[in-house]
Amino acid sequence: MEKVQRKQRDKEFITDPGKKLHIIGKFLLKTDLLVRDTETHDTVQLLSVNKDATKILVQGRMAEQFKLNAHIVLYKLLARYVELECEVLEEKPNNQFIMQVEHVSIASRERKFTRIKPPDGSVWITNLRTSRTTIDANLFNIPTSVKVNFADTERTLKPKFDIVKIDVFNSIGDKFDLVKKTGKILYIPNTQKPDSYKSSDPSGFIDYEHELGDEEDVRKKIIEYANQKIRSELIVPVIYINHDEQAIPIGYVHAQNKNREIDIAEVMEIKTLTFDMVDRIRESNTILVKERFAVIDLSTGGLRVKINHPDLNGELPRRKGFTFDIFFKMQSPITAYGVVRSIARDTDGNLYVGLSLEGNSARPGEKKRFIDNVNRMLSDSGAKVG
């Protein structure tokens, strides 16, 4: 089982052989241990441990349950989470296995959320949405969808302004760097009026007077614009919201006029066009998978799913998270954003993905409905709720 842990569990590694033997001999011997990242929550019984706690003998549940040299994680939830990381050394008769104990660890604190395995077929996820190509602020590789949408929108705007350009951010000057850094609009309705360099809405517009420095700096900028014969200027950032819910400034719309002012209505029109561009880029850059994937276990904080799909097996390990719909049997879907906390891959290529539910749902009350469903399952199973 190949495993990638995104967020390491806070745990204490036990290195002293005497302490290892005490933990295994007193708390785990002759008990059932769960096998990590198996769809049916496989278990083994720990039959014996040697004197220096380096080897254990376990009773499996089926023939060839483990492959030789496979790395297996066995665990048990006592007052705290206890974990044995092992390597399969030998298979004995009657489905017994000798394992090398590589690490023994105990969680530093109790598990925050109680997990439960739902009844087969009662919970699944579908409509997984993630990115085809990573779009980030560096834009080392500019996706074709970005170039096409920028070019189409630029053609639409060209008849309306003397100069218009839509492009990705590069190191092309202080004004553009300022727009990229702040994510705000630079709008100078009349470059020859000092008041135009101020902002009445600092939450959405750059106060260019403040950024330039003082009145003398503004005066120099007025002269510079006069020499360039530019009457009005506008730079609107294109803010891409990726599937990890990150806001990334990927480009800009730059408009200039020589003889008339750009009015605020045109500013709002261009801002709306940037939203449309981002929507189209997201749509063309989105992988949508409508197949069902089983939920292996879940808690009020998240869930773990088994996934095997050609478009996802290579992509998900590289993603911070993704959006999907959770279905509880006989209920309408719950739209959620899951942050990938752990990924394991078995020898058959199946992914076991642990997700914590974060971000805002598309519909009010979705997280509460999820928690209510999980608490009902916990209550039905006799587990502690709350």
Side-chain angles (χ1 to χ4, degrees), residues 195-238:
D195 284 350
S196 285
Y197 292 79
K198 300 177 182 179
S199 171
S200 59
D201 178 15
S203 64
F205 291 79
I206 293 170
D207 188 331
Y208 203 30
E209 180 187 62
H210 174 76
E211 297 293 339
L212 288 172
D214 56 27
E215 290 182 3
E216 179 61 20
D217 292 313
V218 172
R219 189 185 70 81
K220 290 178 181 178
K221 186 60 68 173
I222 288 173
I223 293 172
E224 181 183 321
Y225 276 120
N227 290 336
Q228 295 173 348
K229 296 182 171 55
I230 299 300
R231 174 78 175 274
S232 190
E233 181 166 54
L234 171 68
I235 307 174
V236 181
V238 179

mmCIF file of all heavy atoms in Angstrom, residues 195-238:
data_model
loop_
_atom_site.group_PDB
_atom_site.id
_atom_site.type_symbol
_atom_site.label_atom_id
_atom_site.label_comp_id
_atom_site.label_asym_id
_atom_site.label_seq_id
_atom_site.Cartn_x
_atom_site.Cartn_y
_atom_site.Cartn_z
ATOM 1 N N ASP A 195 -7.556 64.954 -8.588
ATOM 2 C CA ASP A 195 -8.573 64.208 -7.827
ATOM 3 C C ASP A 195 -8.831 62.816 -8.401
ATOM 4 O O ASP A 195 -9.312 61.920 -7.698
ATOM 5 C CB ASP A 195 -9.893 64.989 -7.792
ATOM 6 C CG ASP A 195 -9.826 66.163 -6.814
ATOM 7 O OD1 ASP A 195 -8.836 66.225 -6.045
ATOM 8 O OD2 ASP A 195 -10.745 67.010 -6.835
ATOM 9 N N SER A 196 -8.521 62.631 -9.691
ATOM 10 C CA SER A 196 -8.752 61.329 -10.325
ATOM 11 C C SER A 196 -7.817 60.246 -9.794
ATOM 12 O O SER A 196 -8.050 59.061 -10.013
ATOM 13 C CB SER A 196 -8.577 61.439 -11.846
ATOM 14 O OG SER A 196 -9.685 62.089 -12.434
ATOM 15 N N TYR A 197 -6.752 60.653 -9.118
ATOM 16 C CA TYR A 197 -5.781 59.693 -8.611
ATOM 17 C C TYR A 197 -6.164 59.151 -7.226
ATOM 18 O O TYR A 197 -5.506 58.255 -6.713
ATOM 19 C CB TYR A 197 -4.388 60.330 -8.563
ATOM 20 C CG TYR A 197 -3.827 60.602 -9.947
ATOM 21 C CD1 TYR A 197 -4.249 61.717 -10.683
ATOM 22 C CD2 TYR A 197 -2.907 59.745 -10.524
ATOM 23 C CE1 TYR A 197 -3.751 61.963 -11.952
ATOM 24 C CE2 TYR A 197 -2.402 59.978 -11.807
ATOM 25 C CZ TYR A 197 -2.837 61.094 -12.509
ATOM 26 O OH TYR A 197 -2.347 61.326 -13.775
ATOM 27 N N LYS A 198 -7.224 59.745 -6.654
ATOM 28 C CA LYS A 198 -7.718 59.283 -5.357
ATOM 29 C C LYS A 198 -8.783 58.203 -5.571
ATOM 30 O O LYS A 198 -9.335 58.074 -6.657
ATOM 31 C CB LYS A 198 -8.318 60.452 -4.568
ATOM 32 C CG LYS A 198 -7.349 61.579 -4.279
ATOM 33 C CD LYS A 198 -8.049 62.733 -3.559
ATOM 34 C CE LYS A 198 -7.086 63.886 -3.310
ATOM 35 N NZ LYS A 198 -7.753 65.037 -2.641
ATOM 36 N N SER A 199 -9.089 57.458 -4.505
ATOM 37 C CA SER A 199 -10.142 56.428 -4.590
ATOM 38 C C SER A 199 -11.182 56.681 -3.519
ATOM 39 O O SER A 199 -10.858 56.884 -2.344
ATOM 40 C CB SER A 199 -9.543 55.031 -4.395
ATOM 41 O OG SER A 199 -10.572 54.069 -4.280
ATOM 42 N N SER A 200 -12.446 56.675 -3.959
ATOM 43 C CA SER A 200 -13.548 56.801 -2.990
ATOM 44 C C SER A 200 -14.000 55.437 -2.485
ATOM 45 O O SER A 200 -14.819 55.329 -1.582
ATOM 46 C CB SER A 200 -14.734 57.527 -3.633
ATOM 47 O OG SER A 200 -15.177 56.808 -4.783
ATOM 48 N N ASP A 201 -13.454 54.351 -3.088
ATOM 49 C CA ASP A 201 -13.794 52.978 -2.680
ATOM 50 C C ASP A 201 -12.509 52.167 -2.573
ATOM 51 O O ASP A 201 -12.174 51.380 -3.465
ATOM 52 C CB ASP A 201 -14.749 52.350 -3.700
ATOM 53 C CG ASP A 201 -15.096 50.901 -3.362
ATOM 54 O OD1 ASP A 201 -14.837 50.491 -2.209
ATOM 55 O OD2 ASP A 201 -15.595 50.181 -4.251
ATOM 56 N N PRO A 202 -11.758 52.331 -1.476
ATOM 57 C CA PRO A 202 -10.468 51.636 -1.342
ATOM 58 C C PRO A 202 -10.584 50.131 -1.238
ATOM 59 O O PRO A 202 -9.588 49.421 -1.383
ATOM 60 C CB PRO A 202 -9.883 52.228 -0.045
ATOM 61 C CG PRO A 202 -11.056 52.764 0.713
ATOM 62 C CD PRO A 202 -12.046 53.209 -0.328
ATOM 63 N N SER A 203 -11.785 49.590 -1.004
ATOM 64 C CA SER A 203 -11.943 48.137 -0.927
ATOM 65 C C SER A 203 -11.841 47.481 -2.302
ATOM 66 O O SER A 203 -11.442 46.321 -2.419
ATOM 67 C CB SER A 203 -13.286 47.771 -0.291
ATOM 68 O OG SER A 203 -14.357 48.218 -1.111
ATOM 69 N N GLY A 204 -12.191 48.243 -3.359
ATOM 70 C CA GLY A 204 -12.174 47.660 -4.694
ATOM 71 C C GLY A 204 -11.276 48.381 -5.683
ATOM 72 O O GLY A 204 -10.971 47.844 -6.745
ATOM 73 N N PHE A 205 -10.848 49.613 -5.323
ATOM 74 C CA PHE A 205 -10.056 50.430 -6.236
ATOM 75 C C PHE A 205 -8.766 50.881 -5.557
ATOM 76 O O PHE A 205 -8.746 51.160 -4.355
ATOM 77 C CB PHE A 205 -10.848 51.655 -6.703
ATOM 78 C CG PHE A 205 -12.001 51.335 -7.607
ATOM 79 C CD1 PHE A 205 -13.206 50.870 -7.083
ATOM 80 C CD2 PHE A 205 -11.906 51.501 -8.979
ATOM 81 C CE1 PHE A 205 -14.278 50.567 -7.906
ATOM 82 C CE2 PHE A 205 -12.969 51.208 -9.811
ATOM 83 C CZ PHE A 205 -14.162 50.736 -9.278
ATOM 84 N N ILE A 206 -7.708 50.960 -6.331
ATOM 85 C CA ILE A 206 -6.410 51.404 -5.810
ATOM 86 C C ILE A 206 -6.413 52.914 -5.600
ATOM 87 O O ILE A 206 -6.852 53.677 -6.485
ATOM 88 C CB ILE A 206 -5.284 51.016 -6.788
ATOM 89 C CG1 ILE A 206 -5.138 49.487 -6.843
ATOM 90 C CG2 ILE A 206 -3.960 51.655 -6.392
ATOM 91 C CD1 ILE A 206 -4.215 49.004 -7.951
ATOM 92 N N ASP A 207 -5.965 53.360 -4.434
ATOM 93 C CA ASP A 207 -5.749 54.787 -4.194
ATOM 94 C C ASP A 207 -4.377 55.128 -4.777
ATOM 95 O O ASP A 207 -3.350 55.004 -4.114
ATOM 96 C CB ASP A 207 -5.799 55.077 -2.688
ATOM 97 C CG ASP A 207 -5.781 56.570 -2.388
ATOM 98 O OD1 ASP A 207 -5.202 57.327 -3.201
ATOM 99 O OD2 ASP A 207 -6.315 56.990 -1.343
ATOM 100 N N TYR A 208 -4.390 55.560 -6.048
ATOM 101 C CA TYR A 208 -3.121 55.737 -6.759
ATOM 102 C C TYR A 208 -2.325 56.918 -6.218
ATOM 103 O O TYR A 208 -1.098 56.919 -6.244
ATOM 104 C CB TYR A 208 -3.398 55.908 -8.257
ATOM 105 C CG TYR A 208 -2.228 55.568 -9.144
ATOM 106 C CD1 TYR A 208 -1.286 54.606 -8.766
ATOM 107 C CD2 TYR A 208 -2.056 56.194 -10.375
ATOM 108 C CE1 TYR A 208 -0.206 54.284 -9.578
ATOM 109 C CE2 TYR A 208 -0.982 55.879 -11.208
ATOM 110 C CZ TYR A 208 -0.059 54.922 -10.800
ATOM 111 O OH TYR A 208 1.017 54.608 -11.619
ATOM 112 N N GLU A 209 -3.027 57.939 -5.715
ATOM 113 C CA GLU A 209 -2.335 59.077 -5.107
ATOM 114 C C GLU A 209 -1.472 58.611 -3.936
ATOM 115 O O GLU A 209 -0.306 58.996 -3.799
ATOM 116 C CB GLU A 209 -3.339 60.124 -4.625
ATOM 117 C CG GLU A 209 -2.690 61.343 -3.971
ATOM 118 C CD GLU A 209 -3.711 62.275 -3.347
ATOM 119 O OE1 GLU A 209 -4.424 61.839 -2.410
ATOM 120 O OE2 GLU A 209 -3.774 63.438 -3.776
ATOM 121 N N HIS A 210 -2.052 57.743 -3.089
ATOM 122 C CA HIS A 210 -1.321 57.217 -1.937
ATOM 123 C C HIS A 210 -0.133 56.359 -2.394
ATOM 124 O O HIS A 210 0.954 56.439 -1.805
ATOM 125 C CB HIS A 210 -2.272 56.389 -1.067
ATOM 126 C CG HIS A 210 -1.591 55.678 0.061
ATOM 127 N ND1 HIS A 210 -1.179 56.326 1.201
ATOM 128 C CD2 HIS A 210 -1.218 54.375 0.204
ATOM 129 C CE1 HIS A 210 -0.592 55.459 2.008
ATOM 130 N NE2 HIS A 210 -0.604 54.256 1.430
ATOM 131 N N GLU A 211 -0.336 55.558 -3.452
ATOM 132 C CA GLU A 211 0.726 54.684 -3.924
ATOM 133 C C GLU A 211 1.871 55.460 -4.561
ATOM 134 O O GLU A 211 3.039 55.069 -4.442
ATOM 135 C CB GLU A 211 0.168 53.664 -4.930
ATOM 136 C CG GLU A 211 -0.869 52.713 -4.354
ATOM 137 C CD GLU A 211 -0.289 51.763 -3.311
ATOM 138 O OE1 GLU A 211 0.952 51.571 -3.319
ATOM 139 O OE2 GLU A 211 -1.055 51.234 -2.496
ATOM 140 N N LEU A 212 1.547 56.586 -5.224
ATOM 141 C CA LEU A 212 2.593 57.377 -5.873
ATOM 142 C C LEU A 212 3.470 58.098 -4.854
ATOM 143 O O LEU A 212 4.677 58.233 -5.055
ATOM 144 C CB LEU A 212 1.970 58.387 -6.834
ATOM 145 C CG LEU A 212 1.362 57.795 -8.122
ATOM 146 C CD1 LEU A 212 0.608 58.868 -8.895
ATOM 147 C CD2 LEU A 212 2.461 57.193 -8.997
ATOM 148 N N GLY A 213 2.876 58.573 -3.788
ATOM 149 C CA GLY A 213 3.668 59.217 -2.735
ATOM 150 C C GLY A 213 3.114 60.538 -2.278
ATOM 151 O O GLY A 213 2.438 60.620 -1.253
ATOM 152 N N ASP A 214 3.336 61.615 -3.041
ATOM 153 C CA ASP A 214 2.880 62.942 -2.623
ATOM 154 C C ASP A 214 2.417 63.742 -3.834
ATOM 155 O O ASP A 214 2.373 63.220 -4.961
ATOM 156 C CB ASP A 214 3.980 63.678 -1.855
ATOM 157 C CG ASP A 214 5.277 63.790 -2.668
ATOM 158 O OD1 ASP A 214 5.200 63.787 -3.920
ATOM 159 O OD2 ASP A 214 6.359 63.883 -2.062
ATOM 160 N N GLU A 215 2.081 65.009 -3.607
ATOM 161 C CA GLU A 215 1.539 65.850 -4.675
ATOM 162 C C GLU A 215 2.534 66.000 -5.824
ATOM 163 O O GLU A 215 2.140 66.068 -6.993
ATOM 164 C CB GLU A 215 1.167 67.224 -4.110
ATOM 165 C CG GLU A 215 -0.031 67.198 -3.191
ATOM 166 C CD GLU A 215 -0.400 68.593 -2.701
ATOM 167 O OE1 GLU A 215 0.254 69.564 -3.134
ATOM 168 O OE2 GLU A 215 -1.343 68.699 -1.896
ATOM 169 N N GLU A 216 3.820 66.095 -5.503
ATOM 170 C CA GLU A 216 4.830 66.247 -6.543
ATOM 171 C C GLU A 216 4.893 65.007 -7.439
ATOM 172 O O GLU A 216 5.026 65.120 -8.662
ATOM 173 C CB GLU A 216 6.196 66.505 -5.904
ATOM 174 C CG GLU A 216 7.345 66.647 -6.889
ATOM 175 C CD GLU A 216 7.165 67.817 -7.860
ATOM 176 O OE1 GLU A 216 6.372 68.747 -7.559
ATOM 177 O OE2 GLU A 216 7.805 67.796 -8.936
ATOM 178 N N ASP A 217 4.751 63.812 -6.819
ATOM 179 C CA ASP A 217 4.746 62.570 -7.606
ATOM 180 C C ASP A 217 3.517 62.505 -8.509
ATOM 181 O O ASP A 217 3.597 62.031 -9.650
ATOM 182 C CB ASP A 217 4.781 61.360 -6.681
ATOM 183 C CG ASP A 217 6.102 61.242 -5.934
ATOM 184 O OD1 ASP A 217 7.152 61.369 -6.583
ATOM 185 O OD2 ASP A 217 6.078 61.050 -4.706
ATOM 186 N N VAL A 218 2.373 62.973 -7.990
ATOM 187 C CA VAL A 218 1.159 63.011 -8.808
ATOM 188 C C VAL A 218 1.347 63.981 -9.970
ATOM 189 O O VAL A 218 0.954 63.698 -11.121
ATOM 190 C CB VAL A 218 -0.063 63.403 -7.955
ATOM 191 C CG1 VAL A 218 -1.283 63.641 -8.848
ATOM 192 C CG2 VAL A 218 -0.364 62.328 -6.918
ATOM 193 N N ARG A 219 1.960 65.144 -9.705
ATOM 194 C CA ARG A 219 2.190 66.129 -10.763
ATOM 195 C C ARG A 219 3.069 65.546 -11.879
ATOM 196 O O ARG A 219 2.809 65.740 -13.064
ATOM 197 C CB ARG A 219 2.844 67.381 -10.161
ATOM 198 C CG ARG A 219 2.932 68.558 -11.145
ATOM 199 C CD ARG A 219 3.696 69.726 -10.533
ATOM 200 N NE ARG A 219 5.108 69.404 -10.396
ATOM 201 C CZ ARG A 219 5.998 69.483 -11.395
ATOM 202 N NH1 ARG A 219 5.607 69.864 -12.608
ATOM 203 N NH2 ARG A 219 7.265 69.170 -11.189
ATOM 204 N N LYS A 220 4.095 64.795 -11.484
ATOM 205 C CA LYS A 220 4.974 64.168 -12.485
ATOM 206 C C LYS A 220 4.204 63.156 -13.321
ATOM 207 O O LYS A 220 4.415 63.031 -14.539
ATOM 208 C CB LYS A 220 6.141 63.480 -11.787
ATOM 209 C CG LYS A 220 7.145 64.439 -11.159
ATOM 210 C CD LYS A 220 8.255 63.674 -10.450
ATOM 211 C CE LYS A 220 9.255 64.621 -9.805
ATOM 212 N NZ LYS A 220 10.313 63.899 -9.061
ATOM 213 N N LYS A 221 3.287 62.422 -12.657
ATOM 214 C CA LYS A 221 2.493 61.413 -13.387
ATOM 215 C C LYS A 221 1.540 62.097 -14.366
ATOM 216 O O LYS A 221 1.320 61.602 -15.496
ATOM 217 C CB LYS A 221 1.732 60.539 -12.402
ATOM 218 C CG LYS A 221 0.976 59.372 -13.026
ATOM 219 C CD LYS A 221 1.878 58.406 -13.774
ATOM 220 C CE LYS A 221 2.811 57.646 -12.845
ATOM 221 N NZ LYS A 221 3.553 56.589 -13.611
ATOM 222 N N ILE A 222 0.976 63.242 -13.973
ATOM 223 C CA ILE A 222 0.084 64.001 -14.859
ATOM 224 C C ILE A 222 0.844 64.429 -16.115
ATOM 225 O O ILE A 222 0.331 64.321 -17.243
ATOM 226 C CB ILE A 222 -0.485 65.227 -14.110
ATOM 227 C CG1 ILE A 222 -1.514 64.767 -13.062
ATOM 228 C CG2 ILE A 222 -1.126 66.214 -15.095
ATOM 229 C CD1 ILE A 222 -2.003 65.892 -12.165
ATOM 230 N N ILE A 223 2.063 64.904 -15.929
ATOM 231 C CA ILE A 223 2.890 65.326 -17.073
ATOM 232 C C ILE A 223 3.217 64.129 -17.969
ATOM 233 O O ILE A 223 3.181 64.213 -19.200
ATOM 234 C CB ILE A 223 4.190 65.997 -16.573
ATOM 235 C CG1 ILE A 223 3.854 67.316 -15.864
ATOM 236 C CG2 ILE A 223 5.153 66.248 -17.732
ATOM 237 C CD1 ILE A 223 5.038 67.954 -15.159
ATOM 238 N N GLU A 224 3.512 63.002 -17.328
ATOM 239 C CA GLU A 224 3.828 61.788 -18.092
ATOM 240 C C GLU A 224 2.669 61.370 -18.969
ATOM 241 O O GLU A 224 2.846 61.046 -20.160
ATOM 242 C CB GLU A 224 4.193 60.670 -17.112
ATOM 243 C CG GLU A 224 4.577 59.359 -17.763
ATOM 244 C CD GLU A 224 4.863 58.270 -16.745
ATOM 245 O OE1 GLU A 224 5.480 58.566 -15.693
ATOM 246 O OE2 GLU A 224 4.453 57.105 -16.990
ATOM 247 N N TYR A 225 1.458 61.377 -18.396
ATOM 248 C CA TYR A 225 0.268 61.024 -19.184
ATOM 249 C C TYR A 225 0.032 62.038 -20.302
ATOM 250 O O TYR A 225 -0.377 61.680 -21.427
ATOM 251 C CB TYR A 225 -0.962 60.952 -18.283
ATOM 252 C CG TYR A 225 -1.137 59.621 -17.571
ATOM 253 C CD1 TYR A 225 -1.150 59.551 -16.178
ATOM 254 C CD2 TYR A 225 -1.317 58.446 -18.285
ATOM 255 C CE1 TYR A 225 -1.325 58.340 -15.511
ATOM 256 C CE2 TYR A 225 -1.494 57.228 -17.644
ATOM 257 C CZ TYR A 225 -1.486 57.185 -16.256
ATOM 258 O OH TYR A 225 -1.658 55.982 -15.605
ATOM 259 N N ALA A 226 0.266 63.338 -20.019
ATOM 260 C CA ALA A 226 0.062 64.376 -21.033
ATOM 261 C C ALA A 226 1.013 64.154 -22.213
ATOM 262 O O ALA A 226 0.614 64.296 -23.387
ATOM 263 C CB ALA A 226 0.284 65.755 -20.416
ATOM 264 N N ASN A 227 2.243 63.788 -21.914
ATOM 265 C CA ASN A 227 3.215 63.526 -22.989
ATOM 266 C C ASN A 227 2.814 62.306 -23.815
ATOM 267 O O ASN A 227 3.077 62.240 -25.024
ATOM 268 C CB ASN A 227 4.603 63.312 -22.394
ATOM 269 C CG ASN A 227 5.195 64.589 -21.814
ATOM 270 O OD1 ASN A 227 4.816 65.697 -22.224
ATOM 271 N ND2 ASN A 227 6.106 64.458 -20.858
ATOM 272 N N GLN A 228 2.157 61.339 -23.172
ATOM 273 C CA GLN A 228 1.714 60.134 -23.881
ATOM 274 C C GLN A 228 0.367 60.333 -24.579
ATOM 275 O O GLN A 228 -0.102 59.443 -25.284
ATOM 276 C CB GLN A 228 1.592 58.967 -22.887
ATOM 277 C CG GLN A 228 2.916 58.536 -22.282
ATOM 278 C CD GLN A 228 2.730 57.504 -21.173
ATOM 279 O OE1 GLN A 228 1.615 57.261 -20.697
ATOM 280 N NE2 GLN A 228 3.826 56.893 -20.752
ATOM 281 N N LYS A 229 -0.243 61.528 -24.328
ATOM 282 C CA LYS A 229 -1.569 61.842 -24.888
ATOM 283 C C LYS A 229 -2.627 60.833 -24.427
ATOM 284 O O LYS A 229 -3.493 60.420 -25.210
ATOM 285 C CB LYS A 229 -1.517 61.902 -26.416
ATOM 286 C CG LYS A 229 -0.640 63.023 -26.962
ATOM 287 C CD LYS A 229 -0.680 63.061 -28.479
ATOM 288 C CE LYS A 229 -0.003 64.301 -29.047
ATOM 289 N NZ LYS A 229 1.369 64.509 -28.610
ATOM 290 N N ILE A 230 -2.575 60.446 -23.149
ATOM 291 C CA ILE A 230 -3.559 59.533 -22.571
ATOM 292 C C ILE A 230 -4.482 60.329 -21.653
ATOM 293 O O ILE A 230 -4.050 60.921 -20.662
ATOM 294 C CB ILE A 230 -2.876 58.408 -21.768
ATOM 295 C CG1 ILE A 230 -1.960 57.585 -22.677
ATOM 296 C CG2 ILE A 230 -3.923 57.503 -21.095
ATOM 297 C CD1 ILE A 230 -2.652 56.911 -23.833
ATOM 298 N N ARG A 231 -5.771 60.351 -21.985
ATOM 299 C CA ARG A 231 -6.756 61.117 -21.207
ATOM 300 C C ARG A 231 -7.305 60.300 -20.036
ATOM 301 O O ARG A 231 -7.578 60.826 -18.957
ATOM 302 C CB ARG A 231 -7.901 61.525 -22.145
ATOM 303 C CG ARG A 231 -9.087 62.217 -21.491
ATOM 304 C CD ARG A 231 -8.802 63.663 -21.190
ATOM 305 N NE ARG A 231 -9.977 64.336 -20.677
ATOM 306 C CZ ARG A 231 -10.928 64.900 -21.448
ATOM 307 N NH1 ARG A 231 -10.813 64.822 -22.777
ATOM 308 N NH2 ARG A 231 -11.941 65.524 -20.908
ATOM 309 N N SER A 232 -7.488 58.981 -20.250
ATOM 310 C CA SER A 232 -8.142 58.145 -19.237
ATOM 311 C C SER A 232 -7.535 56.741 -19.284
ATOM 312 O O SER A 232 -7.182 56.248 -20.363
ATOM 313 C CB SER A 232 -9.648 58.082 -19.505
ATOM 314 O OG SER A 232 -10.336 57.473 -18.439
ATOM 315 N N GLU A 233 -7.423 56.094 -18.097
ATOM 316 C CA GLU A 233 -6.806 54.774 -18.044
ATOM 317 C C GLU A 233 -7.524 53.873 -17.050
ATOM 318 O O GLU A 233 -7.992 54.319 -15.998
ATOM 319 C CB GLU A 233 -5.327 54.868 -17.670
ATOM 320 C CG GLU A 233 -4.635 53.497 -17.635
ATOM 321 C CD GLU A 233 -3.124 53.587 -17.592
ATOM 322 O OE1 GLU A 233 -2.599 54.275 -16.688
ATOM 323 O OE2 GLU A 233 -2.475 52.969 -18.458
ATOM 324 N N LEU A 234 -7.561 52.586 -17.404
ATOM 325 C CA LEU A 234 -8.228 51.590 -16.562
ATOM 326 C C LEU A 234 -7.472 50.262 -16.655
ATOM 327 O O LEU A 234 -7.139 49.808 -17.756
ATOM 328 C CB LEU A 234 -9.676 51.381 -17.032
ATOM 329 C CG LEU A 234 -10.463 50.235 -16.401
ATOM 330 C CD1 LEU A 234 -10.744 50.513 -14.923
ATOM 331 C CD2 LEU A 234 -11.776 50.011 -17.155
ATOM 332 N N ILE A 235 -7.180 49.639 -15.493
ATOM 333 C CA ILE A 235 -6.610 48.287 -15.450
ATOM 334 C C ILE A 235 -7.451 47.463 -14.482
ATOM 335 O O ILE A 235 -7.519 47.784 -13.287
ATOM 336 C CB ILE A 235 -5.135 48.277 -14.998
ATOM 337 C CG1 ILE A 235 -4.293 49.226 -15.843
ATOM 338 C CG2 ILE A 235 -4.575 46.854 -15.076
ATOM 339 C CD1 ILE A 235 -2.855 49.369 -15.359
ATOM 340 N N VAL A 236 -8.098 46.436 -15.011
ATOM 341 C CA VAL A 236 -8.962 45.572 -14.201
ATOM 342 C C VAL A 236 -8.323 44.191 -14.102
ATOM 343 O O VAL A 236 -8.015 43.579 -15.135
ATOM 344 C CB VAL A 236 -10.366 45.446 -14.827
ATOM 345 C CG1 VAL A 236 -11.272 44.555 -13.962
ATOM 346 C CG2 VAL A 236 -11.004 46.824 -14.995
ATOM 347 N N PRO A 237 -8.094 43.676 -12.889
ATOM 348 C CA PRO A 237 -7.502 42.338 -12.770
ATOM 349 C C PRO A 237 -8.494 41.246 -13.147
ATOM 350 O O PRO A 237 -9.707 41.393 -12.940
ATOM 351 C CB PRO A 237 -7.130 42.247 -11.288
ATOM 352 C CG PRO A 237 -8.118 43.132 -10.604
ATOM 353 C CD PRO A 237 -8.390 44.265 -11.570
ATOM 354 N N VAL A 238 -7.979 40.158 -13.718
ATOM 355 C CA VAL A 238 -8.789 38.965 -13.965
ATOM 356 C C VAL A 238 -8.450 37.985 -12.841
ATOM 357 O O VAL A 238 -7.321 37.475 -12.779
ATOM 358 C CB VAL A 238 -8.468 38.348 -15.344
ATOM 359 C CG1 VAL A 238 -9.321 37.098 -15.566
ATOM 360 C CG2 VAL A 238 -8.696 39.373 -16.450
#
